[in-house]
Amino acid sequence: MRRTRTPALVAVATALAILAGCSSDGGPSLAEEGPTTTAAATDGTASPSMGTGGAHPCDQGATQDQVATEPVADVASDLTLTSFDDTKIRLHWFPHPDATADDPVPTVLMGPGWSLAGDTSLEGAALFGALSIPALREAGYNVLTWDPRGFGESGGNATVNDPSNEGRDLQVILDWVATQPEAKTDGAGDPRAGMVGFSYGGGIQLVTAAIDCRVDAIVPGIAWHSLETSLFKSRTVKAGWASILSNTGGGRVDPHITSASESGIETGLLSQDDEDWFRSRGPADLVDDITVPTLFVQGTVDTLFTLDEAITNYRSLRERDVPTAMLWFCGGHGTCLTDPGDPDRVTERELAWLARYLVGDTTVDVGPRFETVDQDGTSWVADDLPVADETLGGQGTGSLDLTNDSTTGPIQGDPADGDPLAGLVETITPGPASGAVEVPIRVTAALAGHLALGAPTLSLAYSGTAPAGDQPTRVFAQLLDDERNVVVGNQITPVEVVLDGKPHTVEIDLEVIAQHLEEGHDLTLQLVATTTAYATPRLGGQITFDEIGISIPVVTSGLTKRG
């Protein structure tokens, strides 16, 4: 039975669960074989479950009478589960048609995007190659989706994947899965379980895997490390996305969410209470507790949860020798204005990861540890996240009037065919700027053919003044692809500046990019006073840049170009 969606929820589904991508055959393989079950991987060192049966190790679980569920009338797939605090959570259960108590199969939990109910569609594929219920069942899994608290038919208020709320809901759900006859288990109360999902459905994977050792493999897509670094970059509110999520969202949410959205859009400021609340949502340091095989999928043009969020998470696992890989594609919370490449790449890699680390099929090639796509749709792979060994730079000076006339313009590139996000994010996606201070960046013959990969470093020596006011003082920096007339990765970075008439210096990393360098196809650094991507800062003054320096990391070895 298919769930009817309102136009607003369809817009959010598009915004928060979208995928695009390119092909993945060949390339270097992961070094570690890694565990096939979480219990074996953690050896009891991960945080114990806090499900319905209280704290317990992975070899002890709840029994059927400890997990209260009720069937939903006229919907064979649906049940209502009573969570740890008596909140009612709606489940959607789709066991594999051939699974039995004598021949059970692993289970995949698939979380939805922000404000959405769990997927229930048994027809067709998901958007842009995202894993769907039919695809997962065809691959041999039971599939469980659910309405997160505050959304769909579930009760409670959404608290942005709080470990003590949404995280514990998932622990009770795992308790329930372990009692199903079709579900393979690794011990009493310990289901063989993997997790997939994008955005909000990606974040809950990181939280659950960190607090419950029964999760065996995860594939978090376009998720975040910290809501502070992602939503409040350089203490600047992403007002563009706040507006979209507020206008298209639904459900019942914690009052902090409403308060932060209103103040962020109106003034660009957050109360200390709201700031602390979002910071505490995580996963942040909880990622350091994840010990299960994890494939991070992130979008090169994602302007909500940028590449740096996935890099931070990836490094935590990589430094601890947890089997992990990272796949970047031209998509995410944004619109792809360049060639996206092969659209099957993401799905193929996700299914391979589950086959290897959830099923335990050691013959499966899970692909390279690192893979990205450039503006031409070409894939680049490496044995690990590459470290730049060269830099491309530029220097300049200039003065900027802090007015609304100095801003990012409308996008100029053409979105990929059928990209439903284009209309939704068009007005908050930075395009070529007007009224900007510009610094040319010439691509030299020595660096042509290589990949600019990583976070460019911007350094400023400046002085300026601004009228009194409550709004913060900021400028914004972006890199323009001169040949295509698009902002590289659609990324723009806020820069905190002190406008008291005195000289100051600042050095800041801009958002991470992946750009193929071509001789004669130069870049331009643009500094502007405003952008629709972020809250409007204090205007009315002027800033003079006595020195502007931009240094872009370039990888000349260790990356393999794949057509």
Side-chain angles (χ1 to χ4, degrees):
M1 183 173 182
R2 300 185 66 182
R3 186 178 304 278
T4 301
R5 302 269 167 79
T6 66
L9 290 184
V10 170
V12 178
T14 301
L16 300 186
I18 188 170
L19 279 178
C22 312
S23 175
S24 68
D25 24 290
S29 297
L30 296 181
E32 300 96 336
E33 288 300 324
T36 58
T37 68
T38 305
T42 61
D43 194 26
T45 59
S47 301
S49 169
M50 299 183 292
T52 53
H56 57 74
C58 287
D59 60 354
Q60 297 175 359
T63 59
Q64 179 64 56
D65 60 359
Q66 291 176 294
V67 183
T69 60
E70 295 180 2
V72 175
D74 302 323
V75 187
S77 62
D78 284 15
L79 306 96
T80 299
L81 176 146
T82 301
S83 194
F84 70 96
D85 59 353
D86 292 331
T87 297
K88 305 301 182 182
I89 303 296
R90 179 65 61 91
L91 306 182
H92 316 287
W93 176 236
F94 303 96
H96 190 275
D98 297 330
T100 65
D102 293 329
D103 189 19
V105 301
T107 300
V108 175
L109 282 64
M110 182 169 66
W114 172 255
S115 86
L116 297 180
D119 188 14
T120 60
S121 175
L122 297 179
E123 300 176 6
L127 290 172
F128 295 95
L131 291 178
S132 63
I133 296 172
L136 288 166
R137 294 176 87 198
E138 184 178 349
Y141 305 108
N142 305 313
V143 182
L144 178 73
T145 69
W146 71 97
D147 300 1
R149 62 169 57 210
F151 302 131
E153 298 301 322
S154 289
N157 293 330
T159 58
V160 199
N161 289 337
D162 183 357
S164 62
N165 288 313
E166 286 88 352
R168 292 189 68 182
D169 291 339
L170 263 294
Q171 293 189 298
V172 181
I173 289 174
L174 287 168
D175 289 341
W176 180 85
V177 171
T179 67
Q180 303 313 298
E182 305 93 343
K184 187 172 184 176
T185 61
D186 295 317
D190 181 10
R192 180 72 63 84
M195 298 184 73
V196 300
F198 281 66
S199 193
Y200 202 57
I204 191 59
Q205 296 178 57
L206 300 173
V207 168
T208 307
I211 66 174
D212 198 306
C213 59
R214 295 174 294 172
V215 178
D216 296 292
I218 60 175
V219 186
I222 55 177
W224 63 94
H225 174 74
S226 164
L227 294 176
E228 178 182 15
T229 56
S230 59
L231 303 182
F232 200 40
K233 179 80 66 174
S234 296
R235 301 186 58 78
T236 313
V237 174
K238 285 185 177 175
W241 270 109
S243 296
I244 288 178
L245 298 176
S246 297
N247 292 335
T248 59
R252 301 163 304 282
V253 300
D254 187 282
H256 285 284
I257 298 173
T258 303
S259 171
S261 176
E262 291 175 351
S263 67
I265 293 171
E266 293 175 4
T267 68
L269 300 171
L270 296 182
S271 70
Q272 189 62 54
D273 188 37
D274 284 343
E275 185 178 339
D276 292 343
W277 187 88
F278 274 94
R279 186 183 296 111
S280 70
R281 300 304 95 181
D285 291 345
L286 277 178
V287 174
D288 294 340
D289 294 329
I290 296 175
T291 59
V292 300
T294 302
L295 171 63
F296 294 101
V297 180
Q298 209 75 8
T300 59
V301 296
D302 195 314
T303 56
L304 180 60
F305 301 137
T306 55
L307 293 171
D308 188 58
E309 298 294 313
I311 290 173
T312 303
N313 291 333
Y314 169 86
R315 284 175 172 160
S316 170
L317 274 64
R318 188 74 182 98
E319 290 169 358
R320 294 179 288 111
D321 294 325
V322 177
T324 187
M326 188 160 56
L327 171 66
W328 296 353
F329 68 103
C330 190
H333 303 91
T335 183
C336 184
L337 302 176
T338 57
D339 187 345
D342 185 344
D344 296 328
R345 181 172 61 118
V346 173
T347 298
E348 292 170 357
R349 291 287 302 276
E350 290 181 305
L351 290 174
W353 194 264
L354 292 174
R356 170 63 189 89
Y357 292 111
L358 184 57
V359 177
D361 185 351
T362 59
T363 67
V364 173
D365 180 7
V366 295
R369 191 184 305 280
F370 173 78
E371 182 172 357
T372 188
V373 62
D374 67 19
Q375 71 272 23
D376 302 315
T378 300
S379 292
W380 298 70
V381 301
D383 292 328
D384 206 341
L385 178 64
V387 177
D389 45 14
E390 296 286 349
T391 58
L392 174 67
Q395 294 182 329
T397 60
S399 294
L400 185 67
D401 290 330
L402 302 176
T403 72
N404 281 316
D405 293 329
S406 174
T407 189
T408 52
I411 57 176
Q412 300 297 309
D414 295 324
D417 291 342
D419 181 357
L421 258 190
L424 186 66
V425 303
E426 180 178 4
T427 58
I428 68 167
T429 301
S434 58
V437 170
E438 297 187 337
V439 175
I441 305 167
R442 307 300 182 196
V443 177
T444 64
L447 295 180
H450 298 295
L451 200 67
L453 182 71
T457 300
L458 174 68
S459 58
L460 303 173
Y462 69 93
S463 61
T465 58
D470 292 331
Q471 282 94 345
T473 48
R474 301 285 186 271
V475 294
F476 301 88
Q478 64 182 22
L479 294 172
L480 186 70
D481 180 331
D482 294 346
E483 176 70 16
R484 294 167 181 80
N485 205 30
V486 298
V487 174
V488 176
N490 297 347
Q491 301 297 335
I492 188 166
T493 307
V495 182
E496 294 186 70
V497 290
V498 179
L499 302 180
D500 58 2
K502 300 176 182 179
H504 296 276
T505 61
V506 62
E507 183 174 285
I508 185 173
D509 286 343
L510 305 185
E511 296 286 5
V512 173
I513 61 169
Q515 176 85 359
H516 180 216
L517 300 177
E518 304 165 272
E519 189 173 7
H521 295 180
D522 297 328
L523 305 175
T524 300
L525 170 69
Q526 296 184 320
L527 297 171
V528 293
T530 65
T531 174
T532 54
Y534 282 89
T536 302
R538 200 185 319 169
L539 300 178
Q542 185 183 67
I543 184 169
T544 297
F545 303 105
D546 297 317
E547 296 179 13
I548 303 171
I550 182 70
S551 178
I552 301 173
V554 180
V555 177
T556 63
S557 61
L559 271 171
T560 301
K561 188 175 181 181
R562 177 189 299 158

